[in-house]
Amino acid sequence: MDAWSWSHWGDYVVPLGGALLLGLLVHFGLRLLARRAAQRDSSRARWVRVVTVPMAFALPLLFVSVAVRTVPMPESQLELWIHLLRLALLACVTWLLVRIVGAIESSILRRNPMEIADNLHARRIQTQARVLSRIAMGTIILLGVSLALMTFPAVRQIGTTLLASAGIMGLVAGIAARPVFGNLIAGLQIALAQPIRLDDVVIVEGEWGRIEEISSTYVVVRIWDERRMVVPLSWFIENPFQNWTRSTAQMLGTAFLWLDYRTPMDQVRAELERICHDDPRWDGRVCIAQVTETSEHVMQVRLLVSARDSGEAFDLRCAVRERMIAFLAEHHPQALPRLRAQVERHAEAAGSSPAQLPAAGIPSSPRAEDVDDLPGTP
């Protein structure tokens, strides 16, 4: 009995123990390789870290799954263990594929940094890489979960039942999943057509901000006052919005001043050119002063300047407005708007009042009490 027991246990211990021992050696060896690769900053080292961590779990599971098939255990228990190991291996493969997609995305982002002056091309590439990688990761995870669920007989039976009523269930599922699929399709459109890109300056719902993040379902807009606006991806496909950096980051900025008619425009133009040349935010393209509107009291002067991007354009507009007002106040105070009033003195000194002034030559309209004096009245 003892000999049979040791022989029976040996059928379990030898294959499973050997598989576990080999799996642990492989696991710790791959983890050591990953730690050494983490100390290096090279493309090969990064790929080693991506692959070795999931493989450190997948290979021991593969060894154990092979060893389990050689163990003389009941068929029901064998199927259970094989099923569990198969699920674990599927999870490791899914994890590995997601890490590979993330590594490809990181490699593309490193090769196209946005910390440069003209980053239009880099923003285009980074937007495509981020959106497509999120879609790819979501698809891989969805397929992994679907394959894992399909290994259960009950789920396969449900799938067969659903296929039998595919028309109704497909309609119901399509209506229920419309926002999800809508955002997925919108993500593909944004990645390919690129109406927005990372770090684009946009006006959304009347708010000025920059595109901070583009995920697979929403876009985060960083408002100028540090707030964050979360907008669904489909909104940018279905609604109009302003993109100030669609083709270039260069911007024109305007500063409006209401000035008196006696303003010397030649000196205003000369001062505007001096202000622009002294300000490093001016890009040298546009520097114009024009009278764009007039009223009965003042005239509107538009100071048009250009800058490299919207942020510098805003600061340049404020600087131009402040320095021009200071220049006019110091050198041409008569150019600042003022309220005029005309006071007329009547001839009280001659002893006559306004009611006694002659009204000769000034026609008056007929009144009701004068109707009998009108010509042709009886």
Side-chain angles (χ1 to χ4, degrees):
M1 183 66 179
D2 293 338
W4 182 87
S5 298
W6 280 109
S7 176
H8 183 70
W9 282 108
D11 294 337
Y12 284 88
V13 173
V14 172
L16 293 179
L20 289 175
L21 180 61
L22 180 60
L24 289 176
L25 291 176
V26 172
H27 175 81
F28 287 112
L30 291 176
R31 295 300 295 269
L32 179 61
L33 181 62
R35 284 194 295 269
R36 289 184 177 179
Q39 300 174 358
R40 302 176 183 176
D41 190 13
S42 63
S43 178
R44 180 178 299 178
R46 286 190 289 267
W47 279 104
V48 168
R49 292 198 304 269
V50 169
V51 176
T52 51
V53 176
M55 293 300 293
F57 293 92
L59 289 179
L61 291 172
L62 182 61
F63 297 154
V64 173
S65 64
V66 173
V68 165
R69 297 176 185 275
T70 64
V71 173
M73 65 173 60
E75 188 68 22
S76 60
Q77 296 182 8
L78 180 63
E79 291 182 358
L80 177 61
W81 281 105
I82 291 176
H83 187 206
L84 294 177
L85 292 171
R86 188 179 300 168
L87 291 176
L89 281 172
L90 182 59
C92 290
V93 172
T94 304
W95 182 22
L96 175 61
L97 294 177
V98 170
R99 286 174 64 90
I100 289 175
V101 172
I104 295 174
E105 176 194 354
S106 300
S107 177
I108 295 174
L109 298 185
R110 281 191 300 270
R111 294 178 182 177
N112 298 272
M114 293 196 303
E115 293 77 16
I116 56 178
D118 188 7
N119 59 0
L120 180 62
H121 177 73
R123 291 190 289 112
R124 180 184 297 113
I125 298 299
Q126 286 209 13
T127 300
Q128 289 179 336
R130 290 176 184 270
V131 175
L132 292 178
S133 66
R134 298 297 187 273
I135 294 175
M137 289 180 183
T139 303
I140 291 171
I141 294 174
L142 181 61
L143 289 176
V145 173
S146 301
L147 292 176
L149 292 176
M150 291 302 291
T151 59
F152 294 93
V155 175
R156 286 201 302 269
Q157 183 64 33
I158 294 175
T160 304
T161 304
L162 291 178
L163 288 176
S165 56
I168 299 177
M169 294 304 299
L171 181 61
V172 174
I175 295 174
R178 180 180 176 275
V180 177
F181 289 114
N183 284 324
L184 179 62
I185 295 174
L188 290 174
Q189 289 178 298
I190 288 176
L192 298 177
Q194 292 196 343
I196 56 172
R197 292 178 296 266
L198 290 172
D199 206 41
D200 267 348
V201 177
V202 295
I203 305 294
V204 178
E205 297 290 342
E207 297 283 0
W208 184 97
R210 291 182 179 271
I211 302 297
E212 183 179 53
E213 179 185 351
I214 301 178
S215 70
S216 58
T217 56
Y218 60 86
V219 175
V220 178
V221 181
R222 186 179 72 250
I223 309 301
W224 66 273
D225 57 359
E226 302 298 331
R227 290 177 294 148
R228 300 299 191 272
M229 179 182 292
V230 180
V231 186
L233 274 176
S234 57
W235 189 93
F236 288 94
I237 303 299
E238 300 172 355
N239 297 278
F241 62 95
Q242 297 183 36
N243 189 338
W244 288 9
T245 55
R246 178 69 179 87
S247 57
T248 178
Q250 296 175 342
M251 290 289 296
L252 295 179
T254 56
F256 291 97
L257 297 177
W258 291 97
L259 302 177
D260 193 83
Y261 281 104
R262 294 177 295 175
T263 302
M265 288 302 301
D266 292 339
Q267 298 187 31
V268 169
R269 293 187 178 94
E271 178 64 16
L272 179 61
E273 291 183 0
R274 188 190 66 80
I275 293 173
C276 290
H277 282 90
D278 293 343
D279 199 310
R281 290 166 293 199
W282 184 56
D283 63 0
R285 293 187 300 121
V286 179
C287 180
I288 301 175
Q290 296 174 312
V291 177
T292 55
E293 187 61 69
T294 58
S295 68
E296 63 273 18
H297 301 296
V298 292
M299 63 181 181
Q300 184 188 68
V301 178
R302 184 184 68 176
L303 309 177
L304 184 64
V305 294
S306 61
R308 285 177 290 270
D309 55 52
S310 59
E312 292 190 355
F314 179 81
D315 294 336
L316 181 59
R317 289 168 53 200
C318 295
V320 165
R321 189 182 295 111
E322 293 174 5
R323 294 172 187 174
M324 185 60 71
I325 292 175
F327 167 76
L328 293 175
E330 181 178 359
H331 297 90
H332 303 282
Q334 76 280 2
L336 299 179
R338 61 187 62 192
L339 183 62
R340 294 184 175 88
Q342 183 175 0
V343 179
E344 295 183 356
R345 291 182 175 272
H346 299 288
E348 289 95 351
S352 59
S353 63
Q356 297 172 345
L357 291 176
I362 301 177
S364 60
S365 60
R367 294 168 295 177
E369 56 271 22
D370 298 335
V371 66
D372 294 337
D373 300 332
L374 293 177
T377 57

